[in-house]
Amino acid sequence: VALPRSAELVVALLAVLKTGAAYVPIDPDYPADRIAAILEDAHPMAVITVESAAVEVPAGTNRLLLDDSATRQALDAKAGDDLRDDERSGPLRAGTPAYAIFTSGSTGRPKGVVIEHRALVNFLTSMQERFGLAAGDRLLAVTTIAFDIAGLELYLPLLNGARVVLAAPDQVRDPLALRSLITAAGVTVMQATPSLWHAVVADARDELTGVRALVGGEALPGELARTLVSRTASVTNLYGPTETTIWSTVDEVHAEAGGVSSIGRPIANTQVYVLDTGLSAVPIGVPGELYIAGDGLARGYLNRPDLTAERFVADPFGAPGSRMYRTGDLVRWNAEGRLEYLSRIDDQVKVRGFRIELGEIESTLAAHPDVARAAVVVREDRPGDKRLVGYAVPAGGAVLDPQDLRAHAAKALPDYMVPAAVMVLDELPLTPNGKLNRRALPAPEFTAGTKGRAPRTAQEKQLCELFAEALGVEQVTIDDNFFELGGHSLLATRLISRIRTVMGLELDIRPLFENPTVAGVVDQLGNVKKARPALRRMDRSKYEERS
């Protein structure tokens, strides 16, 4: 299913599930090479899309275009009743696959995780027991369908009589637009990563007062936790890998949240173990690897029995034949019987909520014909600003251009996996035992170009200062590219927010992505209005129909 965010997307996902088939969610904004790799591995019988998505379909695969008149006529001719088992290719059972979602893979190719109906139903049932959505609730869906947590946003409200409010991609990138949508739509529940919540609460007033905040996808910083508690109706921290179906543990967050991220206790029909390297349970307070068992476990990796056997291992604490999943996360039990997340054991990282295998980015950079070796790390040289940085060693006498390497990566990787900077090194630093010494890799220097024009007006000067502030550099010219200086989508939202606050301008975020320079922003200012005052939540009851 490769559709833009729309009601048709939700209908298509539900339709596939009702047929007994499994869907592979694809974000049509992903690079063509990545979409092609997913389709090659998935071997789908059909691709549901629209002409405008421009998704190339493998030879022999049916392309079902929802915006084609013939398709519309065929759909209109179908009965509106639910399918019966005899109308499906096979019976719909608990063990029937529901979806296969592709995540970053350490070998350089994404891997598909197959989730069965039993796991999805168990998860949604447990979430409803906890959150109790009802007819008056409106859940704001902000997550791409290529990220498994979108399953909560789309299905939990619809299964329980509540409503889904689909945010457009431009609204998700714009905190002011998102807060305005929250108010206008009467949103009562919103799920987002800590990175997105940071942007949403930055300049919030009382727009979030009645919103229940669900947070997950990366560690929840204590400062953000306390801010959310003070501005929202409630805050819930959720944790779980894709391989155990969206979220596996949950914890209510309170005002006294500390620096260690508590991920709470397991959801229904889920068992969690904190084990040492010998698979023995560790005492309270002692770090160990987290293993997860129970009804939420995935069937495994699509067409990857070797990797499935490596990550899904026998559960020595369960019934004969039961399995548990090795998460690779280092955690510990606290004295209250809650899990605390500490770090990763391997090279998998989370950046702005997205799960990333550094090896996949390294493989992509190393595939460039002029690159001999490559390494990638996540740097946080400024608090809260995580950036991917690549390092490349040229092959032979080749001369490498860092921007060419970023462009090479962008052809195969989604934007959140493209390094903010690539540094060319004569050699990669090694430890005494010959392994890559990631700690010795130098910090990138994001500096303005020498050929750019200096600001010519007071307005351009102010914008240059705001660009430099957002990027953490000393200065920029009016021609410097925001993204080539280390900018990313989250920094872009912060920049737009600062422009609105400091300059009082109602600037949309899209032009910054289309022409990411001060000169480009200035070109848009002729059509820009003064910033509007923030919308305030109003009592909706007086406007509801009465009988």
Side-chain angles (χ1 to χ4, degrees):
V1 179
L3 292 170
R5 293 179 67 81
S6 61
E8 286 74 18
L9 167 63
V10 181
V11 171
L13 297 177
L14 293 171
V16 173
L17 290 174
K18 288 189 174 187
T19 66
Y23 65 81
V24 176
I26 293 178
D27 189 331
D29 289 335
Y30 275 5
D33 287 355
R34 188 173 185 83
I35 293 176
I38 292 174
L39 292 178
E40 180 182 346
D41 283 352
H43 299 296
M45 61 176 293
V47 175
I48 304 174
T49 186
V50 290
E51 191 68 52
S52 59
V55 174
E56 292 293 329
V57 175
T61 302
N62 182 37
R63 187 167 71 145
L64 186 63
L65 292 173
L66 294 188
D67 53 354
D68 181 78
S69 58
T71 301
R72 301 304 307 179
Q73 291 175 4
L75 291 174
D76 291 341
K78 297 288 186 182
D81 301 330
D82 278 341
L83 292 175
R84 302 185 306 273
D85 272 351
D86 62 327
E87 295 177 298
R88 299 186 178 97
S89 57
L92 182 53
R93 304 187 190 280
T96 301
Y99 60 81
I101 195 162
F102 280 75
T103 67
S104 180
S106 59
T107 60
R109 291 181 68 87
K111 55 183 182 290
V113 181
V114 180
I115 300 296
E116 298 174 342
H117 276 259
R118 71 159 55 86
L120 183 58
V121 170
N122 180 75
F123 165 74
L124 293 170
T125 302
S126 182
M127 290 298 98
Q128 177 59 13
E129 289 174 354
R130 182 168 191 93
F131 298 114
L133 267 59
D137 282 304
R138 294 170 175 82
L139 191 152
L140 180 58
V142 300
T143 308
T144 168
I145 60 165
F147 192 178
D148 68 328
I149 71 174
L152 180 148
E153 299 175 359
L154 300 181
Y155 302 141
L156 186 61
L158 298 181
L159 283 173
N160 297 286
R163 298 183 185 182
V164 177
V165 179
L166 276 177
D170 287 347
Q171 291 174 312
V172 176
R173 290 195 293 257
D174 186 341
L176 177 60
L178 208 53
R179 291 195 300 269
S180 297
L181 179 59
I182 288 170
T183 302
V187 169
T188 60
V189 185
M190 176 176 158
Q191 171 186 259
T193 63
S195 296
L196 182 55
W197 276 119
H198 263 299
V200 172
V201 302
D203 299 310
R205 297 184 181 178
D206 59 356
E207 302 97 328
L208 304 175
T209 302
V211 176
R212 287 185 281 174
L214 279 55
V215 192
E218 55 190 338
L220 174 60
E223 181 181 356
L224 175 61
R226 292 187 290 273
T227 301
L228 284 171
V229 168
S230 68
R231 297 187 183 182
T232 63
S234 66
V235 182
T236 304
N237 192 29
L238 301 128
Y239 161 89
T242 300
E243 287 85 348
T244 60
T245 312
I246 308 179
W247 304 129
S248 298
T249 70
V250 61
D251 198 23
E252 195 73 20
V253 180
H254 302 289
E256 64 274 11
V260 178
S261 182
S262 172
I263 56 176
R265 298 184 174 97
I267 68 170
N269 302 309
T270 301
Q271 297 81 48
V272 295
Y273 314 118
V274 183
L275 309 178
D276 61 18
T277 55
L279 296 185
S280 295
V282 300
I284 293 173
V286 176
E289 184 173 1
L290 177 62
Y291 288 74
I292 301 177
D295 288 351
L297 258 64
R299 175 179 289 192
Y301 297 107
L302 185 65
N303 302 322
R304 298 287 300 275
D306 54 338
L307 186 58
T308 299
E310 176 186 334
R311 304 301 299 186
F312 295 85
V313 299
D315 179 4
F317 311 101
S322 60
R323 304 175 304 153
M324 59 182 184
Y325 173 69
R326 296 180 55 196
T327 68
D329 288 328
L330 193 69
V331 301
R332 69 188 177 200
W333 289 109
N334 65 19
E336 298 175 346
R338 289 182 169 85
L339 289 169
E340 293 180 343
Y341 176 86
L342 301 175
S343 65
R344 284 292 299 176
I345 293 174
D346 55 20
D347 291 333
Q348 186 187 110
V349 297
K350 287 286 188 76
V351 177
R352 300 192 294 282
F354 291 99
R355 169 174 154 177
I356 297 171
E357 295 278 2
L358 295 178
E360 182 173 1
I361 308 175
E362 291 171 347
S363 296
T364 299
L365 290 175
H368 190 285
D370 293 332
V371 173
R373 292 190 65 195
V376 178
V377 298
V378 174
R379 300 190 65 94
E380 191 173 358
D381 297 313
R382 291 193 299 165
D385 182 16
K386 291 183 178 180
R387 303 189 197 187
L388 289 165
V389 179
Y391 301 85
V393 176
V399 177
L400 296 176
D401 182 337
Q403 295 307 324
D404 285 347
L405 292 177
R406 290 186 72 245
H408 168 76
K411 292 179 181 178
L413 302 171
D415 59 356
Y416 64 84
M417 292 180 68
V418 177
V422 177
M423 297 187 69
V424 178
L425 305 177
D426 292 334
E427 59 184 16
L428 297 178
L430 302 177
T431 63
N433 61 5
K435 294 184 178 181
L436 174 65
N437 187 351
R438 295 183 183 273
R439 294 185 178 181
L441 291 166
E445 294 183 2
F446 297 102
T447 56
T450 58
K451 299 180 181 179
R453 293 172 291 171
R456 300 160 296 186
T457 66
Q459 186 181 66
E460 288 182 349
K461 182 175 183 296
Q462 192 170 28
L463 284 169
C464 284
E465 291 172 349
L466 292 173
F467 266 60
E469 175 190 294
L471 292 166
V473 299
E474 289 188 9
Q475 63 180 18
V476 299
T477 72
I478 67 171
D479 300 310
D480 286 320
N481 188 298
F482 179 81
F483 297 105
E484 291 179 1
L485 289 179
H488 49 71
S489 59
L490 182 59
L491 284 182
T493 64
R494 294 175 181 171
L495 172 60
I496 293 299
S497 178
R498 287 288 290 154
I499 291 174
R500 287 168 174 158
T501 301
V502 174
M503 303 181 69
L505 298 173
E506 186 70 21
L507 184 66
D508 186 67
I509 198 170
R510 178 179 288 185
L512 180 62
F513 283 88
E514 295 173 346
N515 193 351
T517 65
V518 168
V521 170
V522 170
D523 288 342
Q524 299 293 325
L525 294 184
N527 301 320
V528 168
K529 301 177 182 178
K530 287 291 184 181
R532 298 168 295 177
L535 293 174
R536 294 183 177 275
R537 182 174 294 274
M538 299 182 67
D539 182 4
R540 298 172 61 91
S541 62
K542 65 179 68 176
Y543 301 105
E544 293 179 355
E545 295 182 7
R546 301 179 184 273
S547 59

